[in-house]
Amino acid sequence: MSLADQIYINNYNMMLKNGYWTVDDSLQWPDGEKVNVWNAFGIVNRYDLQKEFPILTLRKINLFKAIDEILWIWQKKSNNIADLGNHTWDRMADENGNIGKAYGYQLGVKHKYPEGEFDQVDRLLYELKHNPSSRRMYANMYNHSDLYESQIYPCAYSLTLGVEHGKLNGILNQRSQEMLVSNSWNVCQYAVLLTMFAYSCGYEPGELLHVISTAIVYDRNLPVLKEMVGLRQFDAPVFKVKKDIDFYEYDRDSFLLENYRFNNADFKIERPIRIAM
């Protein structure tokens, strides 16, 4: 039984107990019906990366597509889906494949510091290598002045890093989280990212904290979630990563997931259509 599964089931139970319904007027189902949303405010989860890699076994998570996306945002610092290599973001892009001034674009903007100009990723790397006791290791993709030129408001919007006894810890802040589709996807991505920062700067990966402002499930997917949390749970797989390489040398072949067992249930997950920001 994986700790990630236990945390996920605890989140589901908390949502059932404390949640509430709203209507999302920016979305509709493909048949034109309105989208009701089950919400729960304020979830905080902790994942110890020394104990296990936090991927769900309740259902299959495509780890390597998730890795492609996190590299696209944090390493390539791109806002064009041509650089992504899969179709995950197609529906969010304009006719030129651009998602506007969101995600990777924000991380690639350079800012002035006493030591010179850095973008947000390179600044984190600089601090980790030269000032590991810093309490200012923070990256933020939610730039209010650029939201009007973005195809999507960032959901996972900030990362704070901190070194403790040779281990690198991180806090991922997320304004909204679709728990059925995206939760384990984002947790795996930032576990990978934290591991990349750690190994490329001489640390061990430590703890990942995931702060979710509002956790949601769309009405038509709530029965799917209920079915999923009742399925068999497996032990966490073994996650292997190349060490002692530069942050920008990592690619999907730098990671290996061994003995990943999961439920093969054919979940019918419906996706609403966005009709307004």
Side-chain angles (χ1 to χ4, degrees):
M1 180 184 298
S2 78
L3 295 174
D5 287 334
Q6 294 175 45
I7 290 171
Y8 190 84
I9 292 169
N10 289 341
N11 287 172
Y12 167 77
N13 290 329
M14 189 281 279
M15 291 184 72
L16 285 186
K17 180 180 178 181
N18 301 323
Y20 56 94
W21 287 107
T22 60
V23 176
D24 192 334
D25 293 324
S26 70
L27 301 172
Q28 68 178 27
W29 292 111
D31 60 10
E33 288 294 314
K34 66 181 180 180
V35 177
N36 295 295
V37 183
W38 187 253
N39 303 259
F41 186 80
I43 291 178
V44 180
N45 296 321
R46 306 178 79 105
Y47 302 91
D48 187 343
L49 304 187
Q50 290 293 308
K51 291 183 178 179
E52 69 171 44
F53 185 72
I55 191 169
L56 282 185
T57 74
L58 292 167
R59 75 176 181 92
K60 181 181 180 181
I61 302 299
N62 191 327
L63 177 63
F64 291 93
K65 272 194 174 183
I67 289 173
D68 287 341
E69 184 180 273
I70 205 69
L71 295 179
W72 175 61
I73 295 171
W74 281 84
Q75 194 187 67
K76 296 178 183 178
K77 305 162 195 172
S78 174
N79 61 348
N80 195 289
I81 60 173
D83 300 319
L84 176 56
N86 63 56
H87 299 288
T88 307
W89 282 75
D90 285 8
R91 62 193 180 97
M92 294 294 184
D94 64 17
E95 64 276 6
N96 299 312
N98 198 291
I99 64 167
K101 294 184 176 181
Y103 287 109
Y105 172 90
Q106 295 297 330
L107 293 175
V109 174
K110 290 192 175 183
H111 305 272
K112 290 183 178 180
Y113 300 88
E115 300 85 359
E117 288 193 353
F118 300 87
D119 64 36
Q120 292 192 67
V121 180
D122 288 338
R123 185 62 185 182
L124 288 175
L125 291 167
Y126 179 88
E127 292 284 358
L128 285 169
K129 294 174 181 177
H130 296 89
N131 189 19
S133 63
S134 173
R135 299 184 302 277
R136 302 175 182 87
M137 290 188 279
Y138 173 76
N140 175 45
M141 291 173 276
Y142 206 99
N143 185 343
H144 288 265
S145 64
D146 285 338
L147 290 177
Y148 76 104
E149 293 185 74
S150 302
Q151 297 294 102
I152 182 174
Y153 288 12
C155 293
Y157 67 87
S158 77
L159 178 69
T160 305
L161 298 178
V163 177
E164 179 185 16
H165 304 306
K167 294 179 182 178
L168 182 63
N169 302 318
I171 302 174
L172 166 63
N173 280 293
Q174 192 148 2
R175 65 169 178 83
S176 178
Q177 171 89 100
E178 206 292 298
M179 294 296 288
L180 181 61
V181 174
S182 304
N183 178 261
S184 187
W185 177 278
N186 290 140
V187 170
C188 289
Q189 285 181 322
Y190 278 83
V192 168
L193 182 65
L194 187 62
T195 301
M196 289 169 57
F197 275 121
Y199 285 151
S200 65
C201 296
Y203 306 106
E204 289 292 318
E207 193 172 33
L208 174 66
L209 276 71
H210 187 196
V211 181
I212 306 168
S213 295
T214 306
I216 67 168
V217 183
Y218 299 125
D219 53 354
R220 294 187 181 180
N221 290 332
L222 198 55
V224 180
L225 182 57
K226 181 179 180 180
E227 176 190 356
M228 192 178 84
V229 298
L231 295 177
R232 181 182 177 187
Q233 302 167 46
F234 300 92
D235 291 336
V238 177
F239 182 61
K240 295 183 177 179
V241 186
K242 287 183 180 179
K243 299 183 180 182
D244 304 320
I245 65 173
D246 184 81
F247 180 86
Y248 292 103
E249 292 177 355
Y250 280 103
D251 59 27
R252 59 156 43 204
D253 295 328
S254 303
F255 309 95
L256 185 64
L257 196 64
E258 294 182 341
N259 301 320
Y260 181 33
R261 296 189 298 161
F262 49 84
N263 290 293
N264 277 312
D266 184 19
F267 299 111
K268 185 182 178 183
I269 300 174
E270 296 192 50
R271 293 181 178 271
I273 299 169
R274 183 167 297 280
I275 55 176
M277 181 68 77

